[in-house]
């Protein structure tokens, strides 16, 4: 028997749609295992290439360590090797993130996704040291997670390339919306196995066209088939089809504005809408979100329903 | 035997200087117990009115849960009831903060200090729900911690007053630097037992003059006697003396700029300088800071030394 | 006959209340000369120490060059030497500001007030060169105007001190709200004739206590007597009286929130409220503001009226 | 004789490359007419579709009204009808911008480009009123200029579409870098004659692919032929060629980092580099920039030269 050396095998997260899973909750705020397993099947059956748990869409900031690990273990078990599972290891600084890295490895994660330090404002030299230290703390593939609207730090493209080329990181999840910087990373990295995923729901086709390898769209919870079609069209070089699918998904993405901005923040609105969408599609049982997020009210949920109906995901009038 | 009802006793954190302790580390990054105990004695002997552990100055964002709890237990043990001990319960959202609250209660904390949620941008309605939920999670006195340079949310004065008057919070630690907003809180709160502490090193006298009850100065690690004198002068109504002491402390505070901004962020510089100052004063053994913070180099440490010498805290030429 | 050398005379703007005049407009948007003259008398009679025209409160950004100069000439004529008149020379960069400086000199201004360059983001070295070039362009006393919420640049205290000590600027109007930085300027400047004015309506007493020489409060249009009393109390060292007056003015300042934030920006609300207040007090004929500012509606104007009545400035029920 | 109705003629600015002209200056800071005329010929000969004077790249914020008008008149005269000339009418608020609009019309401009109000923070309702008022002030085609890094206001795509569809604006120059918002505008506008130009040097191909009609690149001063090739490839649907040209231009664009950020702001660096590039190519006589911009030093100018040589625009070693 021979084995393929790691460097000749494709990366664990190679290409394709890797949705950042919503974390279904019971009405009393615990992880809803049955719904989570149903969601995994819903996504895998739609053809996604991997699952990303405890990311920003998964309410990672609102879950306890116990809940994060439980979510990961449940998804790993439900995925049953059909697709790889990446775990968000999101915390304020290195030692805490390294603790999550070890827990996620023990929980069966295939890959890890870590942001720059946050809370304390951080210098590029500190971000560099952070990722190098994380590399020392785990053998798992590690993606840098660039989400400046949450961390208040934009990962400089030159630093991403430096970390990529020295092997400190294996990929990038870019949720910055900064297409120019995304392109700079794609130009600058020379490591052949480095992978770049766009976290954008609305300009994913642009990212793929520029050379990104895959998509990590929060809206991919609600309409995974759409993103799988988009990715397939892109892989086939059929950009017109990719753009048409993207246009449909852009319209659907309007559901994130369901919540009244006078009553709640945009995150409560968006995650509430994703979960209501999943509930309407039968993938999860409850649209409950974490304390202290504000739940959608009846009119707001109806707006989500209208978006799904317009996109052809549910029958008009479904409740 | 009779006991005084809680509402007739002074609040646990009533007035005075409550330094946010630096967390001394060994060269390999673990909590340095012996130094921590020495630091407690140094501060209590200087006349502080309380100790605040695992705050922003205490590298809370860089400490694991285990290290946070260990730090708290060690300080509670070392303080031995001489002064109350407040614990920072700093994390991204409610459930995680509530877990810290329970751990801190079990670790012997006398009071808790919690920020608004961070990482995910947060709406005032969500901040309100956050503090109400924290109140339900613990019996300990709870201070809201307003540090917008880290959380990227300014606690609105009206919301602070609302939470104060309904009893959801017992005090405010204001590290915003916004004197107008501080004054608005002091005007708006009617709850007689509500306490306001300024986190400013450099305009602490202004805060006290406006009615704040005490000071939580990071620089109070290095020069607790100075802040105790400042507070005493203020309590005595001797504002000229308070201002003179403040002027001296303002000059000393220049040490936070010891680190080269091309090499490190301002937090690495400030905390590195506080720790080097404590080391020079003999209060701790090592100036080690957490990964991925950048340590001060020789010239930068010399600049700290010069500041301490100029302030009369060490002999000139001390190494 | 002997003359006093300039360096032995007090600075043109020495101390006291120097309100930034609202610019009264006719309903069709032209400068309302009669109202402007009445406003000058209202303020001078109240005991102000100078008049500041075409500042931010004066809608300088909305006035044409012709209107700016007309406003200045009218005020200089109406003041008739009773108090000095300073002119805001607010524009994007040096050559344009220098043009305003020459026009203001020709229009009779006694002093000039200039911001850092704005629109193009600016480096401290460029700000330094800007003020040095302005100094070369005029003989008039020149105040630096620090209003980072409008210019998006905070004047660094060290740079202010450097410009002060080399004679490039003669004073500072600080509308930053940053008390720590204000204090740094007051500590750092050695030039004995340098003057510092706080632009704050709500912590003016704090500024004076720290050593500022005077106040430039937008609300001073509506209640000049209050600020004159506040300044007088401060000059007399009666800080308790200063704080009482400040508390009264803080409550009155609530009128700036009269406008609905769903309908207009905070500037439309604040300036609209100042002008409505002046109209109610009989100092100007119309509360008209410049295009494209949103005017207050009836309910919003009533809220202004209530504030004035509560402050004892008008009879309750006045319309 | 018959005339074609305006609505059947193509818009004045229809498609193609419309470089925002640098404004050449003599060493003493006046407009260098001979260089300006040479620059016009250089650009027109390269095949540009229009000329945009007194834009952000043209140092509009640093030019006096007289210099702005002189620049426009000179360019109109030099263009001699070969291509249309658009004029930036950049100022803080409506009346001032309307004055520039009238001056530009008198100066021969074919179209106008106006930002949202700046200096005073502005509400969407105020931006709406601003553009409506500008429409009333002139008959010329009017483009909205979205440059939030300078104005600190992002034009909301929905508002742009509303203004477009009611006829208040005829086009958009998008210098926001926000591809998602650009796409939203292109989706939302229904007015068939509305035109969208991207101000990006580095993702211009992306903008064109999404449906933008043309490019307004500052770097198009230095390498107009490159952008003309890029636009032509895009018009021909040869996206691979467009991307190759874009990649070449992206590398060249590195010249904007020639200036040392410790000595100057990014604008001094970028405009200094553009002008040095034009000087090296023989299009203008001096690389002088406006007070208080910091000039490039010898090493920085050499870096510009290296960039031009690497891009094949000058012989290596040219000085």
């Amino acid at each position: 028997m021979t084995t393929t050396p790691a460097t000749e095998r494709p990366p664990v997260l190679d290409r394709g749609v890797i949705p950042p899973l919503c974390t279904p909750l019971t009405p009393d705020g615990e992880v809803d295992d049955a719904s989570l397993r149903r969601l995994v099947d819903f996504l895998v059956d739609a053809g996604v290439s991997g699952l990303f748990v405890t990311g920003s869409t998964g309410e990672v900031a609102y879950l306890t360590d116990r809940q994060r690990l439980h979510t990961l273990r449940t998804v790993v078990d439900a995925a049953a090797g059909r697709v790889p599972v990446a775990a968000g290891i999101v915390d304020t600084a290195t030692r805490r993130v390294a603790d999550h890295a070890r827990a996620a490895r023990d929980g069966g994660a295939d890959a890890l996704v870590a942001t720059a330090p946050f809370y304390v404002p951080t210098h590029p030299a500190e971000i560099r040291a952070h990722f190098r230290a994380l590399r020392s703390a785990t053998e798992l593939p590690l993606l840098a997670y660039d989400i400046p609207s949450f961390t208040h730090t934009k990962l400089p493209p030159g630093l991403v390339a430096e970390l990529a080329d020295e092997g400190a990181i294996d990929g990038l999840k870019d949720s910055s919306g900064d297409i120019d910087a995304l392109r700079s990373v794609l130009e600058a990295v020379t490591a052949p196995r480095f992978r770049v995923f766009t976290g954008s729901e609305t300009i994913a086709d642009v990212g793929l066209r520029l050379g990104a390898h895959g998509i990590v769209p929060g809206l991919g919870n609600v309409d995974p088939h759409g993103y799988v079609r988009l990715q397939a069209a892109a892989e086939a070089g059929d950009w017109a089809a990719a753009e048409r699918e993207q246009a449909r998904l852009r319209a659907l993405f309007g559901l994130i504005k369901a919540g009244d901005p006078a009553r709640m923040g945009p995150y409560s609105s968006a995650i509430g809408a994703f979960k209501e969408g999943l509930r309407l599609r039968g993938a999860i049982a409850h649209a409950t979100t974490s304390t202290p997020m504000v739940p959608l009210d009846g009119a707001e949920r109806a707006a989500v329903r209208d978006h799904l109906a317009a996109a052809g995901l549910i029958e008009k009038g479904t409740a």
Side-chain angles (χ1 to χ4, degrees), chain A:
Chain A
M1 186 191 111
T2 60
T3 59
T4 312
T7 53
E8 298 179 13
R9 287 197 300 261
V12 169
L13 296 179
D14 186 30
R15 310 192 72 81
V17 178
I18 303 172
L21 271 72
C22 287
T23 305
L25 299 177
T26 61
D28 61 351
E30 284 301 327
V31 178
D32 175 351
D33 289 10
S35 288
L36 185 54
R37 288 174 178 277
R38 224 185 321 156
L39 176 58
V40 168
D41 285 344
F42 175 67
L43 297 172
V44 172
D45 291 350
V48 302
S49 301
L51 300 170
F52 173 35
V53 300
T54 60
S56 297
T57 300
E59 298 171 53
V60 64
Y62 299 82
L63 302 179
T64 63
D65 287 359
R66 180 182 58 75
Q67 289 176 318
R68 291 185 188 195
L69 186 56
H70 178 80
T71 300
L72 171 61
R73 287 191 191 279
T74 304
V75 169
V76 166
D77 187 66
R82 290 176 289 175
V83 294
V85 178
I89 50 172
V90 171
D91 216 315
T92 46
T94 312
R95 273 195 216 103
R96 297 181 65 80
V97 179
D99 273 4
H100 292 298
R102 283 180 283 264
R105 178 201 59 202
D106 295 346
D110 297 301
L112 304 174
V113 185
T115 69
F118 54 90
Y119 185 68
V120 174
T122 299
H123 188 277
E126 294 156 359
I127 299 175
R128 182 186 291 112
H130 173 70
F131 281 108
R132 286 177 177 171
L134 292 181
R135 168 51 82 220
S136 302
T138 178
E139 297 295 312
L140 288 179
L142 176 65
L143 278 71
Y145 186 177
D146 192 22
I147 184 162
S149 58
F150 283 19
T151 61
H152 302 277
T153 306
K154 173 82 184 89
L155 294 182
L159 178 58
V160 171
E162 177 189 345
L163 292 168
D165 288 344
E166 74 182 40
I169 56 175
D170 302 289
L172 173 71
K173 173 183 180 331
D174 172 30
S175 296
S176 72
D178 184 335
I179 285 291
D180 183 53
L182 172 64
R183 195 171 216 174
S184 293
V185 168
L186 289 163
E187 288 170 346
V189 173
T190 62
R193 295 170 59 78
F194 192 76
R195 292 294 178 270
V196 175
F197 296 87
T198 172
S200 174
E201 277 89 359
T202 53
I203 50 174
D205 61 326
V206 173
L208 294 174
R209 170 119 204 152
L210 294 179
H213 303 84
I215 323 173
V216 187
L219 185 62
N221 283 279
V222 179
D223 192 0
H225 305 82
Y227 284 100
V228 167
R229 285 191 297 266
L230 195 169
Q231 174 92 26
E235 300 266 353
D238 185 353
W239 294 107
E243 287 165 17
R244 278 196 306 275
E245 190 65 46
Q246 180 68 85
R248 198 185 64 84
L249 291 163
R250 283 177 64 83
L252 176 60
F253 194 58
L255 58 75
I256 68 163
K257 304 218 166 154
D260 178 357
R263 290 203 313 120
M264 70 184 74
Y267 185 82
S268 286
S269 177
I271 305 299
F274 289 164
K275 285 188 155 180
E276 177 64 10
L278 284 173
R279 195 189 66 77
L280 289 166
R281 298 205 68 183
I284 67 173
H286 312 283
T288 308
T289 52
S290 298
T291 302
M293 293 163 68
V294 175
L296 300 187
D297 66 19
E300 293 163 343
R301 290 195 303 271
V304 175
R305 192 165 57 235
D306 291 347
H307 271 286
L308 264 69
L313 299 182
I314 58 172
E315 298 292 312
K316 286 194 204 298
T318 305

